[in-house]
Amino acid sequence: MSQNKATTLTTRSKVNVNTLRKMKQAGEKIAMLTAYDASFARILDAQGVDIILIGDSLGMVIQGHATTIPVTMDETIYHTKAVARATEYSLVLADLPFMSYTSPEMALRNCARLMQEGMAHMVKLEGGAPQVETVRQLAHHGVPVCAHLGLQPQSVHKLGGYRVQGRDQAVADQMRSDAQALQKAGADMLLLECVPAALAADITKEVDVPVIGIGAGSDCDGQVLVLHDMLGVSVKAPRFSRDFMQDTGTIQKAVRAYVDAVKTGGFPAAEHCFV
Ligand code: KIV
């Protein structure tokens, strides 16, 4: 087991779903960050980020909205194209926007656009059991899928705010069974947002596919942060994030410090986790 290894940029090859599975099996942590344009994507790619997410967080950090909800398919495709053009090694993962996957047919149509026009390698959607059939259809048609569980920001108005999910036993049990069902349906990766560290650790052990955490403790197979949060640019970064610019001084060094901290287990620390 090559646990807690830092990246070796000289031996890099293009990251794909098999690479990610092998990294999980080998205990090598996966470093993921968001980006929305070619300039930042080029830096992330060069500094060893395994996955670049064109998150619908673009609605907040790029467009200045209060939530991710206003983001459209056309906007996501525009930003995904820009990222994909500048990416040599990282896997390009694009978010399906709010209400763009309310049926398997609609999800198939929009994933075709994200992959054909945007050149995404994988798509991410929010939801557990209600999305199982959609994930099955996408997998059946050759679309790699990451399913986002825990805090689902597209449901913020339904949830009544951005809150930790899974402290309640019933919600935790549902999340564990959703993770199993999504894996069985063909999901290639799971993402857990704002989940107690112990629950995220259990889910990570219970599934074969890689699990990426954000505010979900240090035992996930990998970590993701919103780029603007970890560069100290956001007006108010969440408590589970860390400002990597503070001790580094350049964007390149900050990104590299993040990658190394994820790979060596230095991030997240206890203060970034929830119980
Ligand atoms: O949109 C986004 O940036 C995300 C991350 C918070 C995981 O989904």
Side-chain angles (χ1 to χ4, degrees):
M1 293 259 279
S2 57
Q3 204 125 28
N4 296 341
K5 253 187 6 196
T7 44
T8 317
L9 295 180
T10 47
T11 60
R12 289 183 78 198
S13 51
K14 186 137 189 66
V15 175
N16 60 38
V17 286
N18 295 330
T19 322
L20 299 174
R21 279 216 183 213
K22 282 186 197 149
M23 287 172 82
K24 174 171 180 129
Q25 284 157 9
E28 185 183 340
K29 298 279 186 185
I30 298 164
M32 172 163 151
L33 279 176
T34 67
Y36 318 93
D37 68 28
S39 300
F40 279 108
R42 196 168 290 112
I43 292 173
L44 269 50
D45 190 69
Q47 297 304 321
V49 172
D50 299 303
I51 305 174
I52 301 180
L53 168 66
I54 302 89
D56 57 4
S57 51
L58 79 88
M60 300 169 82
V61 299
I62 303 293
Q63 300 173 332
H65 293 296
T67 72
T68 61
I69 290 169
V71 174
T72 66
M73 270 308 297
D74 285 345
E75 289 162 353
T76 306
I77 289 167
Y78 172 90
H79 288 279
T80 303
K81 266 187 206 172
V83 167
R85 274 187 212 117
T87 304
E88 198 178 336
Y89 296 110
S90 315
L91 183 140
V92 175
L93 169 63
D95 260 345
L96 279 162
F98 180 63
M99 289 294 162
S100 69
Y101 49 102
T102 57
S103 67
E105 294 70 28
M106 190 198 264
L108 283 166
R109 264 199 314 279
N110 283 322
C111 287
R113 290 197 66 202
L114 275 181
M115 295 180 78
Q116 291 184 309
E117 297 173 47
M119 305 306 286
H121 304 133
M122 187 186 282
V123 302
K124 178 161 81 61
L125 51 74
E126 295 183 9
Q131 294 302 339
V132 165
E133 189 46 35
T134 293
V135 171
R136 197 187 324 281
Q137 288 293 324
L138 292 174
H140 179 70
H141 288 87
V143 178
V145 181
C146 172
H148 184 145
L149 295 172
L151 173 61
Q152 295 162 33
Q154 292 175 4
S155 304
V156 62
H157 296 312
K158 184 78 179 160
L159 294 168
Y162 297 102
R163 298 169 200 284
V164 176
Q165 302 292 310
R167 283 183 169 141
D168 176 273
Q169 192 58 46
V171 176
D173 291 345
Q174 183 65 52
M175 210 183 298
R176 290 167 81 148
S177 87
D178 285 355
Q180 292 293 340
L182 289 159
Q183 166 171 265
K184 198 157 169 235
D188 295 280
M189 192 160 79
L190 301 179
L191 187 145
L192 301 177
E193 178 165 354
C194 289
V195 171
L199 173 61
D202 284 346
I203 293 174
T204 304
K205 269 193 240 120
E206 287 163 6
V207 296
D208 296 325
V209 294
V211 176
I212 308 294
I214 176 163
S218 57
D219 290 324
C220 296
D221 300 309
Q223 299 292 326
V224 59
L225 286 178
V226 169
L227 184 65
H228 294 59
D229 292 344
M230 60 78 70
L231 291 180
V233 173
S234 299
V235 180
K236 190 175 182 302
R239 127 143 141 67
F240 55 72
S241 190
R242 177 173 137 194
D243 180 352
F244 283 84
M245 268 298 261
Q246 260 179 358
D247 304 321
T248 52
T250 72
I251 293 167
Q252 283 83 352
K253 284 183 188 161
V255 171
R256 184 63 210 214
Y258 167 76
V259 171
D260 286 345
V262 170
K263 299 274 177 190
T264 58
F267 178 81
E271 71 260 30
H272 309 117
C273 304
F274 299 108
V275 287

